[in-house]
Amino acid sequence: MIAIDWGTSNFRAFRMNDRAEIIETRSSHEGILRIRERRFQETLLSQIGDWLVTGETRILLCGMVGSRQGWVETGYLPCPVGLTNLANQLVRIPLAGLEIFLVPGVVGSDAYGVPEMMRGEETQAIGVLESHGGGVVCSPGTHSKWINLSDDAIVDFTTCMTGDVFDALRSSTILSRIMTTDAAMDTEAFHRGVARSGDTGGLLHHLFGVRALALVDQLKEESSASYLSGLLIGHEVRKSMSAGTHVHLVGDTQLCSLYAQAISACEGFFTFEDEHAAARGLAAIGRKLSWI
């Protein structure tokens, strides 16, 4: 089978043998936002067309390709959601000679009934579930997800707009006046920001402190973005886990490394999952379909 994680910014494809082993990979920046005139079929064939020549006919996709802006919109399955639920609710894309299916998204809610939604991360979580059976998964990014796994299912999850807020604060607020956009990561400043997130006063108060510290020369301007990153990630981590929690980190290596440092500073533990968690989740669904 061919497993594809097609998100907002990136396209990742995995060619698998009948033992669910990855034998070839492809990746590009042809995320759904770059697809013009809804040319999803043409883009797919341009990326993996040569694989189809070798006889591959079964394709399973997850991610934002199943959103309203994607190829075909799929619905959301309510938590708790397990492997069987996802496999039973796939959405088929009609294309002659091929079996193409989309994995649906997952919807939950917080303690006050406000909805939570995700596409793509649920398949990554299923990949972790297949390997570990349960636990907490964190998928850092523009909209970070914290997913609780138990009893072979996604029980609930929360979303934090940490990456989006970091970019907005750095580029479109008074803080941008002190940000050096091309500055290297300052680990000491990052940890200082994480530590500050544990103080009383709240995030909105702490954010103004980024500017104030720089104005009185207690924070170098070239280190202010690193401090801001630590402050935001620190607040996210403290809100999302308690001391002693073991977190499975899935995603970009550099970003996961920052989260690992923050988790350790907040007395948690972590494991770096490999970059193919989504592929493992898609392979698990493929096995349910008797494809592999």
Side-chain angles (χ1 to χ4, degrees):
M1 62 174 275
I2 296 171
I4 297 175
D5 179 10
W6 201 344
T8 302
S9 304
N10 296 291
F11 174 99
R12 300 179 181 89
F14 309 85
R15 186 180 173 204
M16 297 180 173
N17 63 20
D18 57 5
R19 296 183 299 279
E21 297 166 339
I22 298 171
I23 56 178
E24 192 174 351
T25 65
R26 297 271 173 86
S27 64
S28 76
H29 295 301
E30 293 293 324
I32 67 163
L33 292 185
R34 296 192 64 181
I35 308 302
R36 297 290 179 260
E37 300 176 350
R38 303 194 57 80
R39 297 175 64 86
F40 291 98
Q41 177 179 325
E42 292 84 351
T43 303
L44 176 70
L45 295 177
S46 72
Q47 296 288 329
I48 62 164
D50 58 322
W51 288 356
L52 305 180
V53 174
T54 65
E56 310 290 356
T57 61
R58 293 166 168 172
I59 304 173
L60 192 57
L61 303 98
C62 70
M64 289 299 288
V65 67
S67 69
R68 188 164 299 175
Q69 295 75 37
W71 194 347
V72 173
E73 184 177 8
T74 67
Y76 291 93
L77 303 185
C79 289
V81 174
L83 174 60
T84 300
N85 304 113
L86 292 174
N88 287 344
Q89 297 295 323
L90 300 176
V91 174
R92 185 163 191 169
I93 298 177
L95 192 60
L98 298 174
E99 294 182 75
I100 306 180
F101 290 91
L102 292 173
V103 178
V106 173
V107 63
S109 63
D110 67 12
Y112 302 95
V114 177
E116 295 274 0
M117 297 176 178
M118 63 181 174
R119 289 190 186 277
E121 294 92 353
E122 76 293 322
T123 307
Q124 293 177 341
I126 290 297
V128 174
L129 193 61
E130 285 287 289
S131 300
H132 301 286
V136 177
V137 175
C138 174
S139 181
T142 304
H143 303 153
S144 299
K145 302 291 183 183
W146 290 75
I147 306 168
N148 292 312
L149 306 176
S150 181
D151 298 325
D152 294 324
I154 298 168
V155 178
D156 56 46
F157 61 97
T158 57
T159 307
C160 299
M161 288 182 58
T162 308
D164 244 350
V165 171
F166 175 77
D167 288 338
L169 290 170
R170 187 173 60 171
S171 63
S172 304
T173 70
I174 191 67
L175 297 183
S176 66
R177 305 289 181 87
I178 59 169
M179 298 286 166
T180 306
T181 57
D182 57 350
M185 170 58 66
D186 184 331
T187 302
E188 182 178 351
F190 176 82
H191 282 276
R192 188 178 170 191
V194 173
R196 174 61 169 158
S197 71
D199 294 342
T200 59
L203 176 60
L204 295 179
H205 169 60
H206 292 170
L207 287 173
F208 186 77
V210 181
R211 173 173 167 80
L213 287 168
L215 290 176
V216 299
D217 297 324
Q218 293 184 24
L219 178 66
K220 296 178 181 178
E221 289 193 359
E222 60 266 29
S223 300
S224 58
S226 298
Y227 179 88
L228 174 63
S229 177
L231 184 63
L232 291 172
I233 292 174
H235 270 280
E236 176 188 336
V237 168
R238 293 180 194 279
K239 183 67 175 177
S240 302
M241 54 153 266
S242 55
T245 300
H246 190 115
V247 181
H248 300 275
L249 288 165
V250 178
D252 174 78
T253 301
Q254 184 175 0
L255 189 54
C256 283
S257 176
L258 294 178
Y259 273 72
Q261 294 174 56
I263 289 167
S264 293
C266 297
E267 301 181 359
F269 305 92
F270 63 88
T271 299
F272 291 118
E273 299 298 327
D274 68 52
E275 60 183 338
H276 299 330
R280 292 201 306 273
L282 289 167
I285 296 172
R287 281 192 291 270
K288 276 287 183 182
L289 301 176
S290 299
W291 284 8
I292 53 178

